[in-house]
Amino acid sequence: MRRVAVIGAGMTLFRRRMLETGRELSYEASKMALDAAGMTFKDVESVVLGTAPDMFDGVHMKGEYLLEGAGGLGKPNSRVYVGGGTGVFTPIGGWWHVASGLFDSCLVVAEEKMSPLHPHPQYAFWSIFDHTTERPLGVTLLWIFALEMRRYMHVHNVTEEDIALVAVKNKMNALDHPCAQIAAKITVDDVMKSEKMVWPVKRLDVSPPSDGAAAAVLVSEEVARKYTDDPVWIDGVGWNVDSQYWTNRELCYPAYLESAAKMAYKMAKIENPRKQLDFAEVYDPFDYKELHHMEGLLLCGKGEAAKLTRDGVTQRNGEFPINPSGGLLGVGNPIAAAGMMKVCELFWQLRGEAGKRQVQNAERAVTNGWGDLMQVGTVLTMKR
Amino acid sequence: MSSKIAKYEGTEITPEDLRRERYLMTTYHTSLSYAWSSGVATGKYLAGLKEGEIWGRRCNGCERTLVPPRMYCEQCFRATSSWVRLEDRGKVVTYSVSYVNSDASRRDQPIIVAVIEIAGGSPMMGILHLLGEVAPEKVRVSMEVEAVWKSQQDREGAITDIVYFRPRRKE
């Protein structure tokens, strides 16, 4: 396998509703990534596109629909899709295009436009549940997260206040992100008093629906040397999917994420992730998911993430920063683009371009995506 | 974002813009009907529910009893072996209280949603269902619950033949 470098990244603003179409958003993010890399459309040999449910847009075959905006016309182009895990799976797809030797360059683009579906994009997820044994019960997607959160709280004796600290931290971190949708200075009390959605999930425990796009340019080592003295390397990738029979699983721990992380760490020769990595962008569509994913990524023991959060370890200036970008809870959650935003954040942090969000002396980091029926883990590690 | 990039593209449409119709929007309504096959395993499961019974499938490879039942074992990747009648009661594995409908609109009354490990199945073999006859604050993980069935003539071979599970009453 060949080494794969990231040499440019770009993203749009994340907002609840944007004037730009998905194609236009894809174009803006792609163009920014190419400009940052010093490349043009002609220099790109292949394209991998990530976008989540077609139902959001009400457009069938969204991969083809977005093609022109994502720089894919006339090139080997493919779409990958694993629900919320898509954003991190998209650069994994780009990685295998280049690592295999098949291509010397790959533009990876992730887009999501959730605003078209009315009254609320939440409704699109109704069809993720089993049509015969679950949907007749009046399901909504929030149920599975609330059930998972409650199980996690029960097994590890974690409180709602412990979990709220994550929302407080991430929304605060996002104040330094110019693309952020819902950055804010809030308190644990604000989270606790926010509207109950599906208890224990409250309004401020959840990331918002968003429109947005993010992109990056992946190249072989030889090409990277031509364009930059400062490439960032993707040195590990992993992915894994658990059973669709989610009611048969122990929800307090994401075992599939551990499997995906171990695959990536083995490739990157990481034996002690907490020691060898400098920070992490973990997938945080809900605040409890940050804790869940810290454990699944083996950044701490089972049930220990809440204590690390309380102790300030995960603050941007803490010993092991988690989500210095502000995460999905602060920057926003255009599904596939949100995961890709995290990959861009790793790139910008490791290049020392993160401005006010900069984590000092960051040389290695991990990010993950998560989704489907709480069952997919996608993991990517990067180093300077 | 990178400190090297000065401007990020994107034009926000605010709720106010939407109300005042400042931008062109096209609205489209669609209606689709589906007729889903129950499948072999779920078909038998539903036939059992119509009789007021919960059935699982036994795998002779891993010796687990699976519910919801399937004709193959996903861990052993072999055919499951036999049908096993389970109890119509179990334990709460986890629960939550839903204040919203499928479309994220508010419910008039919250409902309690739970994963219930069915007695007679293997550990952690749960199904999704509702809890009733109990206040949300009284529900506990590991609480014993029992099925409340629709009357025989109202049962139609559906998961909703069980109205909900309620705290188990002493025998």
Side-chain angles (χ1 to χ4, degrees):
Chain A
M1 285 186 303
R2 304 195 302 170
R3 295 179 83 194
V4 178
V6 184
I7 61 167
M11 69 183 286
T12 65
L13 299 179
F14 285 3
R15 293 292 182 270
R16 173 68 180 86
R17 183 182 301 277
M18 301 250 260
L19 175 61
E20 288 79 5
T21 62
R23 288 171 180 155
E24 288 168 338
L25 292 169
S26 298
Y27 171 77
E28 296 295 354
S30 302
K31 189 70 171 59
M32 188 182 286
L34 286 170
D35 286 349
M39 290 177 100
T40 67
F41 172 67
K42 285 184 187 154
D43 301 321
V44 173
E45 290 182 356
S46 61
V47 173
V48 173
L49 177 70
T51 184
D54 290 358
M55 241 195 238
F56 284 146
D57 302 60
V59 174
H60 188 47
M61 299 187 6
K62 235 164 100 182
E64 288 73 7
Y65 168 73
L66 294 168
L67 173 78
E68 281 92 346
L73 190 67
K75 298 183 199 294
N77 173 76
S78 51
R79 173 193 185 181
V80 297
Y81 175 42
V82 282
T86 302
V88 175
F89 201 55
T90 308
I92 291 175
W95 175 87
W96 76 54
H97 276 58
V98 178
S100 64
L102 208 51
F103 301 100
D104 280 320
S105 60
C106 184
L107 174 65
V108 297
V109 188
E111 174 273 357
E112 213 69 65
K113 195 163 171 76
M114 299 172 73
S115 63
L117 185 61
H118 280 244
H120 196 282
Q122 182 76 229
Y123 195 50
F125 291 111
W126 172 75
S127 63
I128 201 171
F129 289 91
D130 186 275
H131 49 63
T132 304
T133 60
E134 292 176 342
R135 286 188 216 177
L137 297 169
V139 294
T140 175
L141 190 71
L142 282 171
W143 285 11
I144 57 175
F145 306 125
L147 291 165
E148 187 176 73
M149 178 171 167
R150 180 70 194 96
R151 181 73 188 168
Y152 177 74
M153 289 165 60
H154 170 79
V155 171
H156 295 304
N157 201 19
V158 170
T159 67
E160 287 177 76
E161 287 84 352
D162 286 337
I163 289 170
L165 282 170
V166 174
V168 173
K169 169 179 69 71
N170 291 1
K171 285 178 195 297
M172 175 77 104
N173 283 351
L175 285 169
D176 295 324
H177 200 303
C179 300
Q181 180 182 344
I182 51 162
K185 195 170 185 301
I186 60 164
T187 64
V188 167
D189 202 42
D190 292 332
V191 180
M192 296 301 292
K193 286 182 178 155
S194 63
E195 185 181 40
K196 281 183 195 163
M197 309 283 285
V198 182
W199 182 87
V201 173
K202 301 164 292 297
R203 174 75 63 183
L204 289 175
D205 292 312
V206 197
S207 59
S210 316
D211 291 355
V217 179
L218 273 51
V219 296
S220 64
E221 181 162 12
E222 199 188 350
V223 172
R225 299 293 179 204
K226 279 188 215 160
Y227 285 93
T228 180
D229 296 329
D230 200 13
V232 172
W233 305 98
I234 295 177
D235 62 344
V237 298
W239 64 98
N240 206 285
V241 191
D242 206 340
S243 170
Q244 191 84 11
Y245 290 97
W246 63 278
T247 58
N248 290 175
R249 292 198 262 121
E250 174 48 91
L251 298 176
C252 80
Y253 186 70
Y256 49 92
L257 177 58
E258 181 184 318
S259 302
K262 282 183 169 165
M263 178 178 162
Y265 293 156
K266 189 177 174 197
M267 195 180 295
K269 298 186 175 58
I270 294 168
E271 280 155 18
N272 184 338
R274 174 79 178 279
K275 219 168 140 187
Q276 289 174 263
L277 297 168
D278 300 308
F279 75 96
E281 278 285 328
V282 311
Y283 202 66
D284 62 325
F286 295 77
D287 43 13
Y288 83 94
K289 288 310 298 187
E290 177 167 312
L291 307 180
H292 216 226
H293 288 156
M294 284 166 64
E295 294 169 19
L297 286 167
L298 308 173
L299 300 174
C300 62
K302 291 178 187 176
E304 286 177 12
K307 181 172 188 306
L308 294 184
T309 306
R310 274 199 307 271
D311 292 348
V313 172
T314 62
Q315 294 286 341
R316 195 189 286 146
N317 60 1
E319 179 212 321
F320 197 97
I322 303 283
N323 291 330
S325 68
L328 280 50
L329 289 163
V331 185
N333 187 12
I335 312 285
M340 189 67 211
M341 175 274 285
K342 289 179 172 290
V343 176
C344 294
E345 181 73 7
L346 257 57
F347 173 73
W348 288 320
Q349 289 281 356
L350 296 174
R351 289 256 279 212
E353 294 178 17
K356 284 203 264 181
R357 299 189 321 285
Q358 188 63 49
V359 172
Q360 294 310 309
N361 306 316
E363 299 202 339
R364 300 190 86 173
V366 64
T367 186
N368 82 295
W370 165 82
D372 294 341
L373 254 176
M374 316 188 282
Q375 72 192 120
V376 66
T378 52
V379 177
L380 184 144
T381 60
M382 280 162 86
K383 70 173 178 185
R384 357 187 3 161
Chain B
M1 79 84 207
S2 164
S3 54
K4 291 187 173 175
I5 299 169
K7 183 176 186 297
Y8 290 83
E9 300 296 335
T11 314
E12 183 176 11
I13 296 178
T14 64
E16 179 68 7
D17 293 333
L18 207 56
R19 257 195 310 278
R20 291 180 176 263
E21 299 182 345
R22 284 183 181 133
Y23 297 98
L24 292 173
M25 297 274 171
T26 305
T27 305
Y28 176 73
H29 294 275
T30 184
S31 171
L32 302 170
S33 297
Y34 293 87
W36 287 300
S37 303
S38 62
V40 179
T42 306
K44 164 76 181 173
Y45 183 57
L46 297 179
L49 292 173
K50 192 169 184 183
E51 301 306 315
E53 298 167 356
I54 301 174
W55 286 80
R57 270 303 270 188
R58 179 80 175 167
C59 173
N60 281 349
C62 57
E63 301 190 324
R64 292 185 308 156
T65 300
L66 313 172
V67 63
R70 38 258 195 204
M71 300 311 291
Y72 55 87
C73 172
E74 69 279 2
Q75 289 188 5
C76 305
F77 212 65
R78 57 178 275 173
T80 49
S81 311
S82 53
W83 287 99
V84 181
R85 183 167 170 194
L86 310 178
E87 309 277 341
D88 63 345
R89 60 184 178 82
K91 275 193 313 194
V92 173
V93 177
T94 183
Y95 66 96
S96 67
V97 187
S98 184
Y99 294 82
V100 296
N101 292 305
S102 298
D103 63 358
S105 61
R106 305 295 293 180
R107 302 184 70 94
D108 297 334
Q109 290 293 322
I111 51 168
I112 310 173
V113 181
V115 175
I116 296 148
E117 180 186 284
I118 301 297
S122 293
M124 293 309 289
M125 283 292 144
I127 64 167
L128 176 68
H129 221 291
L130 310 174
L131 297 182
E133 298 180 39
V134 61
E137 59 275 14
K138 297 280 185 196
V139 182
R140 294 287 177 269
V141 172
S142 297
M143 175 183 259
E144 298 222 8
V145 292
E146 63 190 14
V148 174
W149 296 90
K150 281 184 181 168
S151 67
Q152 194 173 3
Q153 69 269 24
D154 288 341
R155 290 202 292 263
E156 51 188 1
I159 192 65
T160 46
D161 287 347
I162 297 173
V163 187
Y164 48 71
F165 284 77
R166 70 180 176 205
R168 195 177 176 206
R169 296 177 177 173
K170 296 270 185 281
E171 284 175 2

